[in-house]
Amino acid sequence: MDIPILLDPRSRHPLQGQLYEQVRHLILGGRLKPGTSLASSRALATLLGVSRNTVMLAYERLAAEGYLQMREGIGTYVSFELPEDCLATERLTPACSDERPCVVSRRPIAFEGRAHGVVNDGQLTCDFWLGRPDPHSFPIRAWRRLVNRRLLGAGARLTEYGEPAGLIELRREIAERIGPARGIDADPEQIIVVGGCQEGLNLTARLLLREGAVVAIENPAYQGAANLYESYRARLVPVRVDDNGLRVADLPEDGVVLAYVTPSHQYPMGFTMPLERRLRLLDWARRLGAYVVEDDYDSDFRYRGAPFPALMGLDRHDSVIYMGSFSKSLGAGLRLGYLIVPRHLVGAARTAKTLLNNGHPWLEQAVLAEFLASGGYDNHLRRIRKSYAERRDCLLDSLRWYFGEIVVSGSECGTHIAWHLGASLPRATLMRSLAAERGVGLHDLPSSAACDFGGCTYSERTLLLGFSSLDERQIRGGIERVAAALDPAHGSLRGLTRPRHPRPTTYVAP
Amino acid sequence: MDIPILLDPRSRHPLQGQLYEQVRHLILGGRLKPGTSLASSRALATLLGVSRNTVMLAYERLAAEGYLQMREGIGTYVSFELPEDCLATERLTPACSDERPCVVSRRPIAFEGRAHGVVNDGQLTCDFWLGRPDPHSFPIRAWRRLVNRRLLGAGARLTEYGEPAGLIELRREIAERIGPARGIDADPEQIIVVGGCQEGLNLTARLLLREGAVVAIENPAYQGAANLYESYRARLVPVRVDDNGLRVADLPEDGVVLAYVTPSHQYPMGFTMPLERRLRLLDWARRLGAYVVEDDYDSDFRYRGAPFPALMGLDRHDSVIYMGSFSKSLGAGLRLGYLIVPRHLVGAARTAKTLLNNGHPWLEQAVLAEFLASGGYDNHLRRIRKSYAERRDCLLDSLRWYFGEIVVSGSECGTHIAWHLGASLPRATLMRSLAAERGVGLHDLPSSAACDFGGCTYSERTLLLGFSSLDERQIRGGIERVAAALDPAHGSLRGLTRPRHPRPTTYVAP
């Protein structure tokens, strides 16, 4: 048998696998024809310098799969049962390579989409990266205790499929504890547990959109939402935001299927939509028969006054789909969020979730349900809310100390602020690169998964600063390094000589 | 203040929340006009028989949200800043109720879809339910140990977003350990971790389908796949299966974008596609420029001979998307599966997964990666493979004992068999109800998430029996009860008097 076989003992693939593959390809490629006798395992082992067992195992696998026949007393030969035309096909259509380009003519795939940035590369020593809880704040001891308790009695919960809409204990806790805190009176049936807000967005798209459907979206907006709706071939109509959030009066008066909004803390600008505009938005939805997707991604953190009721809490016409998330309050690594859907959409939403992925992993849901029920979640929220408020104050103080009067938005709520850069400061993109040179991450809109559709005045002169994952020392140090980085570019900074201001400047409309 | 407020002390909603809600609705409904003075908190508390604090808290929340103004020395009154037209809108569009039907005119939602059965209601004492691992077989001690170890050093893994395509350690283990076992040589980059096969199907639909795209699908087929592709408005072309799986020669010769197949163990019939037909299927895909979605849902369990290489392992033209799952080998409650995509689809698949849900929860992935790396998974598989083989033998023995010569398919692989009912037995639907009356779950195609598109000969006379989650005593007892249930309907059963046969009957073509 004069066949080209070359085994590589340093490869991560076992020798028997290499031998199997090469013989198989020789057969499929027609180099080894049906009926051809192969060397005995002993002879081939000697020839190749491998153990006889290696050859035996490869031969046995090839025989089990029908490539070879092994007959006692006769020997091993290539199976006759491989039909000649199959082999010919294989010979005529060899694998693609540079020398032989692929002969498959294929339409372009249907999918067209862009991904938003998800993973932070973590190169910077002090990164005002957005929307991340402090890793040290994760209630790891309580979580481990609950994980162990739930695993102990897990049994079939790990092996069986659960309810696709989510674990009923968890949905009950969300309906009873979180709903009322947002002014939403929902049954557990209206809650669909999802793998974070992004999956929630997906379900809204699946439920409501067909190709060409018109989606009204904030400008600027969360990139993940814009990209998602675009990937479903929706036609996006960007509507500008001002310091009261989405300019409801600018919404088209017909044809819109859904409006995507972040009324608690507009992403990225941080504006809060006041009551009047909320009511106008709901009235608009009623007039058009449109749906409003309310992304309430970080409303757990409100530092001044009570939170406004969610749009869904104000809605009396079943127009709102509410999305909540535990990514900001606990952690994005859990991939836990929920939709609250109007009653008439419960069946469709459950079906869409079933078809999507048959539901969320059990353990995270079970542990979160118990964490909520035990009051552990409320305690956790109180603790981090306090700590985030201090960090926010520290950030605002530091900015004022080094930069004097500053204009910011979004500081009353959430885990990031938008810093509207005055005329005496460089543009956001330059600020960002100057800071990065000193190891400090400041983010302009494009680097914050924020999407500017054009015609929006914020992009050039807005920096977004997340404060939840840095401690106060890091925050002060980071802003100091930014100030130092700017010095050559910016001349002497007024702020460097200013006394520390006792109270932070909060929102002033740009 | 003569306003109708009625608090219910027995409600699950706190009194202050009830008060808040009712005053808010009175304001929005126009019953309390801007400028109206409200009773002092003390007076209202007395009037309602609640604590003053309850009223204070409700008033404060209403004030924070802009409904009320509280001025020292003046008192509490309804805010003037609620614009009159908003209030009028609310008055003109009251909540929907039976007396006042909703005035919203709304298009039907875009989504049209049916859900396959996911949750087993678990009413039967002995249920030959399909595709479930034995809950007792879950490697709970090893899993708990790994969970604890990973949680200990978790830190930012719980709070940050991870790589949407999946944890690199896990993808590496899948590429290096599982790929070769299926004859697939893939890079970790080609692996996309998904929430079970259903999510994998979703990604294939997102990647490849537009409205009206033609999908070739097995007949009968897995209902979850049929429903999913249908919900994307694909046009399904059912192609019959015979005892060699999908009849490749019956595939349309043009226009098909994707063919969905289960070649290792056809769902539901259990047929294995032989090598020749696999090669013909790949050749068909090459000619049409179509993709093949290979759902390899339970190929971990092969009881005779080596497994055939997966279609993807045979494919030389990048036409195959492979789907694997840990739902059968570990448990569906983990929601863990993976796609292996051809290199040219890696970017699009990662983007689609990012837009879908930003990736899978971290903990399950991290624990599974370590379970694979430690060899624990291989040991686990070996153990349950042995136990499932014994259960399969027991099931086949029991069927022969009570029913004589039987015709089954699918017994060489997987966790269920298809029992082709002879003419002397009732039809599958009747068998199913007779068994259910005795507390035994036998499943016909419709109750097994299997979809018969018509024109397929199997539905009437096929029962599907999962054997992986019942022990041998249960299996024997269950089949005995079925035989007893049949006795009146079926006359005397031959099998009852037959001696026990030493070897089970395995597959015989129907």
Side-chain angles (χ1 to χ4, degrees), chain B residues 49-98:
Chain B
V50 298
S51 82
R52 188 177 167 205
N53 201 37
T54 299
V55 180
M56 289 279 285
L57 287 167
Y59 275 14
E60 274 168 15
R61 182 165 172 203
L62 288 160
E65 294 176 8
Y67 293 99
L68 298 182
Q69 294 282 327
M70 297 170 87
R71 289 282 151 79
E72 238 171 309
I74 297 179
T76 302
Y77 54 90
V78 179
S79 178
F80 283 103
E81 290 166 23
L82 288 173
E84 185 59 30
D85 50 355
C86 253
L87 299 175
T89 298
E90 282 285 325
R91 271 200 304 279
L92 292 172
T93 58
C96 313
S97 70
D98 288 347

Side-chain angles (χ1 to χ4, degrees), chain A residues 369-388:
Chain A
E370 208 166 323
F371 195 51
L372 283 162
S374 67
Y377 181 72
D378 284 344
N379 289 339
H380 166 72
L381 265 190
R382 260 194 298 276
R383 204 172 54 242
I384 59 172
R385 215 180 260 140
K386 183 165 169 292
S387 131
Y388 291 178

Side-chain angles (χ1 to χ4, degrees), chain A residues 12-13 20 24 28 64-65 67 82-83 85-86 89-90 93-96 104-107 109-111 113-116 118-119 132-133 135 138 140 144 147-148 151-152 156-164 176 185 195 198-199 202 206-211 227-228 231-233 256 275-276 279-280 283 286 289 291 306-309 313-314 316-319 327-328 330-335 344-345 348 351-352 354-364, chain B residues 12-13 20 24 28 64-65 67 82-83 85-86 89-90 93-96 104-107 109-111 113-116 118-119 132-133 135 138 140 144 147-148 151-152 156-164 176 183 185 195 198-199 202 206-211 227-228 231-233 256 275-276 279-280 283 286 289 291 306-309 313-314 316-319 327-328 330-335 344-345 348 351-352 354-364:
Chain A
R12 62 179 173 88
H13 292 296
Y20 159 84
R24 191 169 69 95
L28 291 173
E65 294 175 9
Y67 293 99
L82 286 173
D85 50 354
C86 253
T89 298
E90 281 286 326
T93 58
C96 313
V104 180
S105 104
R106 200 171 265 146
R107 279 170 292 260
I109 62 168
F111 180 75
R114 294 175 291 170
H116 47 288
V118 175
V119 188
R132 298 302 191 273
F138 190 87
I140 190 73
R144 278 187 69 198
V147 162
N148 278 292
L151 279 179
L152 210 57
R157 312 305 291 265
L158 287 166
T159 52
E160 287 283 328
Y161 289 85
E163 163 56 41
E176 289 184 8
D185 184 19
Q198 191 67 32
E199 191 176 293
N202 234 282
R206 290 280 279 139
L207 286 175
L208 304 176
L209 304 186
R210 293 186 68 154
E211 265 189 60
N227 287 351
L228 188 271
S231 79
Y232 279 95
R233 296 193 164 74
V256 178
L275 186 64
E276 180 208 334
L279 296 174
R280 285 188 194 276
D283 189 50
R286 181 194 57 78
Y291 287 93
F308 283 108
L314 296 166
R316 303 168 79 182
H317 298 97
D318 291 338
S319 306
S327 292
K328 312 294 176 244
L330 283 167
L334 301 176
R335 310 300 318 114
H344 70 280
L345 291 182
T351 300
T354 307
L355 291 176
L356 186 70
N357 54 18
N358 286 336
H360 202 73
W362 167 77
L363 185 62
E364 274 83 1
Chain B
R12 62 179 172 89
H13 292 296
Y20 159 84
R24 190 168 71 97
L28 291 174
E65 294 176 8
Y67 293 99
L82 288 173
D85 50 355
C86 253
T89 298
E90 282 285 325
T93 58
C96 313
V104 180
S105 104
R106 199 171 264 148
R107 279 170 292 261
I109 62 168
F111 181 74
R114 296 175 289 170
H116 47 287
V118 174
V119 188
R132 298 303 192 271
F138 190 88
I140 190 74
R144 277 187 70 198
V147 163
N148 277 296
L151 278 179
L152 209 60
R157 312 305 290 264
L158 287 166
T159 52
E160 287 282 329
Y161 290 84
E163 164 56 41
E176 289 183 8
D185 184 20
Q198 193 65 33
E199 191 175 295
N202 233 284
R206 290 280 279 139
L207 286 175
L208 304 176
L209 303 186
R210 294 186 69 154
E211 263 188 62
N227 288 350
L228 187 272
S231 79
Y232 278 96
R233 297 194 164 73
V256 179
L275 187 63
E276 180 208 336
L279 296 174
R280 285 188 195 277
D283 188 51
R286 181 194 58 77
Y291 286 93
F308 283 108
L314 296 165
R316 303 169 78 181
H317 298 99
D318 290 337
S319 306
S327 292
K328 311 295 176 242
L330 284 167
L334 302 175
R335 312 299 318 114
H344 70 282
L345 290 181
T351 300
T354 307
L355 291 176
L356 186 72
N357 54 19
N358 285 337
H360 202 73
W362 166 77
L363 185 62
E364 274 83 2

Side-chain angles (χ1 to χ4, degrees), chain B residues 59-283:
Chain B
Y59 275 14
E60 274 168 15
R61 182 165 172 203
L62 288 160
E65 294 176 8
Y67 293 99
L68 298 182
Q69 294 282 327
M70 297 170 87
R71 289 282 151 79
E72 238 171 309
I74 297 179
T76 302
Y77 54 90
V78 179
S79 178
F80 283 103
E81 290 166 23
L82 288 173
E84 185 59 30
D85 50 355
C86 253
L87 299 175
T89 298
E90 282 285 325
R91 271 200 304 279
L92 292 172
T93 58
C96 313
S97 70
D98 288 347
E99 301 99 54
R100 303 205 222 198
C102 192
V103 295
V104 180
S105 104
R106 199 171 264 148
R107 279 170 292 261
I109 62 168
F111 181 74
E112 288 169 16
R114 296 175 289 170
H116 47 287
V118 174
V119 188
N120 188 1
D121 60 11
Q123 296 300 304
L124 300 166
T125 53
C126 174
D127 197 345
F128 290 89
W129 183 239
L130 277 76
R132 298 303 192 271
D134 186 345
H136 304 294
S137 76
F138 190 88
I140 190 74
R141 286 178 58 177
W143 202 260
R144 277 187 70 198
R145 193 167 39 77
L146 293 174
V147 163
N148 277 296
R149 187 190 302 173
R150 298 310 306 246
L151 278 179
L152 209 60
R157 312 305 290 264
L158 287 166
T159 52
E160 287 282 329
Y161 290 84
E163 164 56 41
L167 199 66
I168 188 64
E169 298 97 288
L170 176 58
R171 294 156 73 203
R172 225 177 264 140
E173 291 298 325
I174 292 171
E176 289 183 8
R177 287 168 185 270
I178 300 179
R182 307 296 297 114
I184 300 172
D185 184 20
D187 294 334
E189 285 65 40
Q190 292 174 261
I191 315 275
I192 311 279
V193 177
V194 292
C197 274
Q198 193 65 33
E199 191 175 295
L201 285 170
N202 233 284
L203 284 187
T204 64
R206 290 280 279 139
L207 286 175
L208 304 176
L209 303 186
R210 294 186 69 154
E211 263 188 62
V214 177
V215 171
I217 191 162
E218 295 165 328
N219 185 16
Y222 170 50
Q223 182 85 55
N227 288 350
L228 187 272
Y229 290 130
E230 228 173 52
S231 79
Y232 278 96
R233 297 194 164 73
R235 201 153 63 74
L236 298 192
V237 177
V239 176
R240 280 203 297 145
V241 302
D242 60 23
D243 52 317
N244 286 325
L246 182 84
R247 292 163 61 95
V248 171
D250 294 353
L251 282 165
E253 270 305 316
D254 61 21
V256 179
V257 173
L258 166 174
Y260 168 80
V261 287
T262 51
S264 292
H265 194 232
Q266 201 272 331
Y267 194 89
M269 299 305 297
F271 303 126
T272 300
M273 189 184 282
L275 187 63
E276 180 208 336
R277 205 175 266 190
R278 288 177 193 234
L279 296 174
R280 285 188 195 277
L281 176 58
L282 293 173
D283 188 51

